[in-house]
Structure formats: structure tokens, C-alpha cells
Amino acid sequence: MYHIHKKGINNKVLFLFHGTGGDAKEMIFLGTKLDPNASLIAIEGDVKQWRMNRYFIRHEDGSFDFENLASQTKKIYEEILELIKVYKYSDKEIIVIGYSNGANLIQNIFRTYSTNFKKAILFHPSLVRPEVPFQKQPNTVALVTSGVDDPYITGAQFTQLIEAFKKEDIKVKTLNHQFGHALIDEELERAIKLINS
């Protein structure tokens, strides 16, 4: 898979995943804002849908293609592990960050695998496979954000998602603001605070 790597000077590695229509380059820019001293790896989605980059297929009615989701989750998780080896980052603090479609990918990784990721930031996820519990993530602290006017998740679904994290004893922080699906400054500030904690 196509990715961009930027070597940093501290002990953190940010794996960055874009939203629908985004790309690796814009996520490197975001990663630099979140931690200018961290190593950055932005993996670009290789599913093309309506001429836009995605990590997995979402049908026109809003439903997910679960077969594609499963295969893409496996491929990208294995890519993360391989890139950690390639760039010799096994002794670093691994942080996964995703927006929208990228956040949904991270969510499904956590429902599929027990990871060693130190922190996770999910900006504006939807509720993906709610019938499947999260795997244990004993070392992970997560920040999950949403907006009350976000068209892709209701307030009840956001609560359901957070409760699913808590049910598996995953440490989770939340931010639910009064806006929509776009990132706001407060989300970035909360993400920076978690990264530096």
C-alpha cells in the first residue's frame, strides 16, 4: 500500500488514516500539527469509490461491505506491523489516528485484533459492527470525538460506541461538540494533549 513516512526525533510514531476522499499527504500535514517531533506514517486507502480514496467500501445506502471491511482490515493491520519492523519502531510509542473512514478502520482493527498500540484517536467515527465486541486493548488509551450535527452517527450510537470500549476495560476519553462532521480546533487540542500525556 502507498504510504508516506517522515522520521521524527522523539519516541512517538503516529500512524495516520484519512477520511473519504483524503490522502496520505494531507494526513502528514495533520500529523505535523499534532506532534511536529513524532515520526509519521500516513497510509493511503487503496479502495477507489466514486473516484475517492477509501479504506473499505461503503454502499450508497450507507451500509458497509463487511467482506471488504474484513479483508481490508487484515491487510492494513498487517501493513502497520510490517512498517513498524521496516522502520525499526518496535521500541517506540505507537499511536493510531484516523478521521471518518480512517477512524472506522481503526475501530474495526480493535474489534478484530488485540493490539499493542499505546494510544488511539478516532475523529468522527461511525458505529461499525456494533454486534461484535472489542478485543482487549490492555495498553491503549483512546480519544473518540463526534459532533451533535454529524450526519454519520447519532448521539445514541456515539454512546453505544463508547460503552462498547468501556465494556472491555479500554480506557476511553470523549469529546462531543456542537458542530458537525468537520474537525474543530478543540478536537486537535484534545488530541495533542493525549499524545503528550
Side-chain angles (χ1 to χ4, degrees):
M1 299 184 72
Y2 175 71
H3 73 276
I4 299 175
H5 171 238
K6 178 177 177 290
K7 187 172 178 58
I9 59 174
N10 65 19
N11 70 326
K12 297 178 175 64
V13 181
L14 311 186
F15 277 89
L16 301 148
F17 300 92
H18 58 74
T20 299
D23 58 31
K25 185 177 179 180
E26 72 177 23
M27 294 309 290
I28 289 291
F29 177 75
L30 175 62
T32 302
K33 290 178 66 176
L34 295 175
D35 188 341
N37 295 316
S39 296
L40 309 176
I41 299 176
I43 298 177
E44 193 164 293
D46 61 1
V47 171
K48 302 295 182 185
Q49 194 172 18
W50 308 301
R51 297 184 178 180
M52 295 187 292
N53 297 327
R54 288 180 59 87
Y55 294 102
F56 60 89
I57 294 169
R58 187 169 193 162
H59 300 304
E60 289 188 17
D61 65 0
S63 63
F64 298 110
D65 184 318
F66 292 114
E67 183 176 341
N68 182 254
L69 173 60
S71 63
Q72 288 294 107
T73 298
K74 181 177 186 293
K75 179 170 72 171
I76 295 168
Y77 180 64
E78 290 175 350
E79 179 78 357
I80 292 170
L81 299 183
E82 180 63 22
L83 291 173
I84 290 171
K85 291 181 183 177
V86 167
Y87 293 115
K88 297 180 172 59
Y89 287 150
S90 59
D91 61 339
K92 302 287 188 181
E93 182 178 301
I94 305 300
I95 301 170
V96 290
I97 301 171
Y99 168 68
S100 193
N101 186 241
N104 292 340
L105 171 74
I106 294 170
Q107 181 186 161
N108 200 56
I109 286 174
F110 285 162
R111 293 189 191 274
T112 309
Y113 302 100
S114 181
T115 77
N116 287 318
F117 302 151
K118 187 71 174 177
K119 294 163 187 168
I121 298 169
L122 283 68
F123 293 124
H124 297 270
S126 303
L127 183 60
V128 180
R129 298 171 73 215
E131 74 284 358
V132 178
F134 285 105
Q135 300 296 312
K136 298 295 183 184
Q137 313 294 333
N139 301 313
T140 305
V141 179
L143 169 65
V144 185
T145 76
S146 187
V148 295
D149 290 329
D150 193 321
Y152 299 108
I153 189 170
T154 65
Q157 289 172 332
F158 183 76
T159 299
Q160 186 178 353
L161 175 58
I162 299 308
E163 290 304 314
F165 272 101
K166 291 178 178 178
K167 187 174 181 181
E168 302 306 324
D169 296 323
I170 301 170
K171 295 177 285 294
V172 59
K173 303 172 185 291
T174 64
L175 173 61
N176 191 246
H177 57 68
Q178 299 300 308
F179 300 98
H181 194 65
L183 284 174
I184 65 170
D185 288 344
E186 187 179 0
E187 289 174 274
L188 301 182
E189 290 164 5
R190 289 284 298 276
I192 291 168
K193 183 177 179 180
L194 178 61
I195 289 167
N196 290 320
S197 64

